[in-house]
Amino acid sequence: MMRTMWIVLLTLPAMWAQNTANGKKLFEAKACYECHGWRGQGGLAGARLAQTKLTLQGFRNVLRNPPPSNMPPYRAAVLTDQEVADLFAYIQSFPAPEPAKNIPLLKD
Amino acid sequence: MADYEVARLAKSKVDRRRFLKRAGAGAAAGLAFAPQGVAQQAGSVEVTGPVKPGSDFMLDVIQSLGIEYCAANPGSSFRGLHESILNHGGNKNPELLTCLHEESSAAMAHGYAKIEGKPMMIMVHGTVGLQHASMAIYNAYCDRVPMFIIAGNILDANYRRGNAEWVHSVQDVAAMVRDYIKWDDNPVSLTHFAESAVRAYKVSMTPPYEPVLLVADGKLQEEPPEEKNLRIPKLVMTAPPQGDTGAVKEAARMLVAAENPVIVAGRVARSQHGIELLVELAELLQARVHDQRLRMNFPTSHPLYGNPGVLPLNPNVSDADALLGLEAQDLWNFTHKMTPVNRFGMESQSVMKPGAKIITVSAVELNHKSNYQDFGRYVEADLAITGDAEATLPALIEEVKRALTADRKRAIQERGKKVTEANAQALRQHRELAAVAWDASPISTARLAAEIWAQVKNEDWSLVSWDRMMSSWPTRLWNFSKYYQFIGTHGGSGMGYGLPAAVGAALANKKHGRLTINIQPDGDLCYAPGVLWTAAHHQIPLLNIMHNNRAYHEERMYIALLGAKYDRSPEKSDIGTALKGPNIDYASVAKGFGLYSEGPIENPVDLGPAIKRAIERVKKGEPVLLDVVTQPR
Ligand SMILES: Cc1ncc(C[n+]2csc(CCOP(=O)(O)OP(=O)(O)O)c2C)c(N)n1
């Protein structure tokens, strides 16, 4: 268990370097930012993606068959499985936000 | 009225001399009727005596109504009234506001009325001016806002001097907007004008408030009065329509008996008193209130405020066993679920509990029209009360008090606690969500809202723009409690409302010394930006802070969505929707119109100090504009 985790952690940065760059391009080209924001922060138009708790598999499922909403289905003709993985890598790279209590303007 | 009498006598002398001269000229030329040239010569007969134009009397009538401002883009069809406002009225009550587009005039009146609670006058030039103003009039109509529209026209074909007057004249001026105004008239005498003006004002100010239109005929304006004993009828305002006593009693019984009553508030409060009444009703019933934010109906920090769930858009009312819609807009959409855009076809189903009761109170049902569909889908209410909500609330409150037994009071307290807890939790959640992308550039809409709030919260502020386009962050993070702190939206979703309505609202706020804030989307600004100059020219203090996402973003999302739905990549959704290449330099645009401006501001760290500088200028009485480049939503 520990061993696999180490391997994953060591190989992740290399995979990400490649995938996140393409994911970033896709995030714009496939219009993800339009509803979810450039940092995946979400809003009234789309759910928050930053710090998603979804797995890659879960993410792909939502993309292919989103719940009833304004979110269009992104089928393979629009995003291949590889592209979905790249996108997922990019979304996972969004920095974790400060807790609101550490931001003076969001305190009271 | 002696002046009018003198004018009438002078006019009859002139007419007699003109007639004699014309007859002489005609006879000399051997014609039964004088040719035009002679007639024109005849028209140059000198006028003697203290003659006044009919438009002076028209203005006296308008002044009797207590109208403060008249917004207009100049046009010869109302030049008589224009001149009278300046020289007979001393440019006071109403004071003329120079507008660069008739749509701006009407939208300014729209924003003004929502703060001041009474109509502004606008003047539009015959056919073309009214055509320009029409979308903004439609917005006001859908938003149940009073407006006093004067349209210039020349009805008498014999009185039109040339082509311009023919193409600007029309047989039935109001026809083009009649579907979305409440009343209009085409007076053929000054007595008629006086009576119809007073009636128009009264009709406009009887709930549901709506725009009204009166034609000011060119001949009536420009000729001395012919009528004797001109007088201005007394204005007596109508008491607003109140719901039927028996029905109100029944509504109270249903609400008190319910285990979980929920209130949906559309355009309820016209005043602070209206907010207080709604608070009283909600507290008596311990019912949560979903404020549609079409007016400032309910304090956002109240424990019973049901809107922390601005996500999703349509709040969940499926737990209600009694739903009270007060001047609610499209209530059907609260009670039903429809096939969403990412599915095909259309099915709808009720989300209400079986047996749940729907009660509606609204004055809008008194004024339904056919052609435009602003009435929304038919609501199958169990009890529908026709009456103005604010006027009906006192009686409803009394009936609820009467129906509340000690037992019911105990049971009710429990449900109130649940709403309060949900509220506190939602607020914490909003703050955590606002922290995401806090440092992002383009600047997040949550950061924009938080930075503005930090600078204005200790002022007497008034936010006069809608906030849905920025994920409702002000609604989620600010503390709204006064009726002028939020004025809802365009009504008819006609873009281009935002900027001029903000200028009109700021004008109304000016005499109260309030700090007016307009968070301004870029697309909306571009329809008719000239109103910035109007704000500068008339020294209307207004803090414009742009939510510049460099797009008609709402539409861009639709294009992407429809493409993907049909397996087409949304890559091209920028075409026809993005406002970039080149970027529009709004700070320069504003500067060109005479405003202090800064931007584009792209780094969130720069925002706070810029807002501070801008507020200093606004406090000195100026409009300012900060161009802030933002996240899409
Ligand atoms: C007169 C008019 N034209 C077009 C539309 C369609 N429309 C709805 S939202 C929108 C975009 C407005 O852009 P902006 O004000 O910048 O707001 P954003 O959606 O970018 O936040 C448009 C064009 C409309 N509602 N009214």
Side-chain angles (χ1 to χ4, degrees), chain A residues 25-51 62 64-79 83 94-108, chain B residues 310-311 313 340-344 428 431-442 444-445 447 450-451 453-454 457 467-468 471-473 476-477 553 556-558 560-574 580 630-633:
Chain A
K25 274 190 214 143
L26 291 166
F27 195 77
E28 175 167 4
K30 304 294 175 178
C32 310
Y33 78 94
E34 290 185 10
C35 303
H36 302 280
W38 288 105
R39 290 271 193 91
Q41 71 271 24
L44 286 194
R48 174 177 170 182
L49 302 176
Q51 289 76 51
V62 173
R64 300 286 188 235
N65 188 17
S69 65
N70 278 356
M71 167 80 189
Y74 280 76
R75 285 176 283 261
V78 175
L79 270 180
E83 286 174 325
F94 290 134
E98 282 285 325
K101 66 174 173 15
N102 294 351
I103 299 174
L105 294 190
L106 294 178
K107 253 188 195 154
D108 55 9
Chain B
V310 272
L311 298 168
L313 279 184
V341 192
N342 65 359
R343 299 289 190 277
F344 294 95
R428 281 195 296 276
R431 291 198 174 122
E432 295 307 331
L433 276 175
V436 187
W438 187 251
D439 296 321
S441 175
S444 81
T445 49
R447 176 85 184 247
E451 293 282 355
W453 179 234
K457 64 181 174 187
D467 63 356
R468 275 276 169 82
S471 294
S472 296
W473 279 113
R476 293 202 255 174
L477 297 176
H553 187 71
R556 180 162 66 181
M557 291 189 291
Y558 285 132
L561 150 64
L562 278 182
K565 187 169 168 176
Y566 283 95
D567 283 350
R568 299 198 271 242
S569 182
E571 251 126 304
K572 294 180 187 161
S573 61
D574 257 8
K580 55 191 184 187
T630 48
Q631 297 273 325
R633 276 285 175 267

Side-chain angles (χ1 to χ4, degrees), chain B residues 190-268:
Chain B
L190 290 172
T191 300
H192 187 175
F193 181 89
E195 194 168 314
S196 290
V198 175
R199 189 195 304 275
Y201 190 93
K202 183 170 164 163
V203 167
S204 186
M205 285 296 288
T206 301
Y209 292 173
E210 300 290 9
V212 289
L213 185 148
L214 213 55
V215 179
D217 185 68
K219 190 170 154 189
L220 277 187
Q221 291 177 66
E222 294 181 24
E223 292 293 315
E226 287 178 345
E227 298 151 68
K228 278 188 195 163
N229 304 326
L230 283 172
R231 61 177 291 272
I232 303 169
K234 184 167 74 173
L235 171 67
V236 181
M237 299 304 289
T238 315
Q242 192 184 320
D244 171 77
T245 311
V248 168
K249 196 170 186 168
E250 175 61 7
R253 194 197 59 73
M254 289 161 80
L255 290 166
V256 170
E259 285 314 313
N260 196 23
V262 170
I263 300 171
V264 176
R267 297 182 176 87
V268 179

Side-chain angles (χ1 to χ4, degrees), chain B residues 135 493 495 521-524 527 549 551-555 633:
Chain B
M135 185 204 78
S493 268
M495 292 292 145
D522 51 332
D524 179 277
Y527 286 95
N549 56 21
Y552 293 115
H553 187 71
E554 186 76 16
E555 301 303 325
R633 276 285 175 267

